[in-house]
Amino acid sequence: MREDPFSFDIQGPNYIPSEYDNHIQRKLSSMKGQYLNQVAYNDMLYQDDVLLYQVFELKRQEVEGELLHGISIVHPGKVGDEYFMTKGHYHTVLETAEIYFILNGQGYIVMETPEGDSAVEELTKGKVLYVPPRWAHRSVNIDSEEDLVMFFVYPGNAGHDYGTIETQGFKKLVMEIDGKPEIIDNPRWTSPEGK
Ligand code: S6P
Ligand code: ZN
């Protein structure tokens, strides 16, 4: 890991950073239970364990004061009528924020707090999105052809808590209805605090 200042490039059309240390590939099989239409999920998985999204990370120490950063690329597609999306997570250290800069594509970021507050922000190329401390976050690609590409940066000590979202899902879902993206209430959602 480099201790001196450094720079690197992120260029289209593929937006893969010119330097990275970790390459995470998340396939359909890692999203069990997350999509509303479980029949569609199982049918699709039976055909092929498709690649939903990729993350390219530059390694930094996971300590306060460091900034973890890299690129996430959510590919276009749907499971049933629900768009390809990231697993989504809280930060283990809840009081840590995150910034996204959208480099390509269009979509939504779905967010919520442990208290059951919910927010959905539109993502378009050139937009900066600030995720405040305490907000779980998931990105969703609504384009039928383009990758949703985002630069992310967050504190080194944040950590990831996937378990809460795996159990509860998010309060809001992004589905295609009559050919258009719509934000709907997740019928299976219950508040993490039982409210
Ligand atoms: C990390 C940051 C992103 C996500 C990436 C994949 O805090 O929010 O790098 O890791 O978008 O999402 P997920 O939910 O699978 O980690
Ligand atoms: Zn995060």
Side-chain angles (χ1 to χ4, degrees), residues 26-28 31 34-35 40-41 44-45 48-54 73-87 106-108 110 123 138-144 146-148 174-176:
R26 288 248 213 262
K27 295 184 171 186
L28 192 60
M31 297 289 277
Q34 290 300 301
Y35 284 96
Y41 175 87
M44 198 167 167
L45 189 57
D48 188 14
D49 191 7
V50 292
L51 182 62
L52 303 181
Y53 63 99
Q54 311 187 55
I73 301 177
V74 186
H75 297 304
K78 284 180 292 178
V79 177
D81 293 325
E82 196 172 359
Y83 299 101
F84 283 4
M85 60 192 184
T86 59
K87 280 170 95 80
Q106 53 171 348
Y108 288 96
V110 179
L123 305 174
R138 158 181 284 169
S139 30
V140 182
N141 183 354
I142 61 163
D143 201 283
S144 57
E146 291 281 318
D147 285 336
L148 176 65
V174 188
M175 313 276 296
E176 187 173 277

Side-chain angles (χ1 to χ4, degrees), residues 89-91 97-98 100 135 137 154 158-160:
H89 57 266
Y90 282 97
H91 290 164
E98 182 154 348
Y100 287 106
W135 287 80
H137 38 285
Y154 62 100
H160 293 89

Side-chain angles (χ1 to χ4, degrees), residues 24 26 30-31 53-57 68-74 85-91 97-100 109 131 137-139 150-155 158-162 165 170:
I24 300 157
R26 288 248 213 262
S30 69
M31 297 289 277
Y53 63 99
Q54 311 187 55
V55 183
F56 296 88
E57 293 176 333
L68 297 173
H69 57 287
I71 290 288
S72 74
I73 301 177
V74 186
M85 60 192 184
T86 59
K87 280 170 95 80
H89 57 266
Y90 282 97
H91 290 164
E98 182 154 348
I99 283 179
Y100 287 106
I109 187 154
V131 182
H137 38 285
R138 158 181 284 169
S139 30
M150 309 195 294
F151 178 77
F152 61 82
V153 55
Y154 62 100
H160 293 89
D161 162 18
Y162 291 103
I165 298 298
F170 274 82

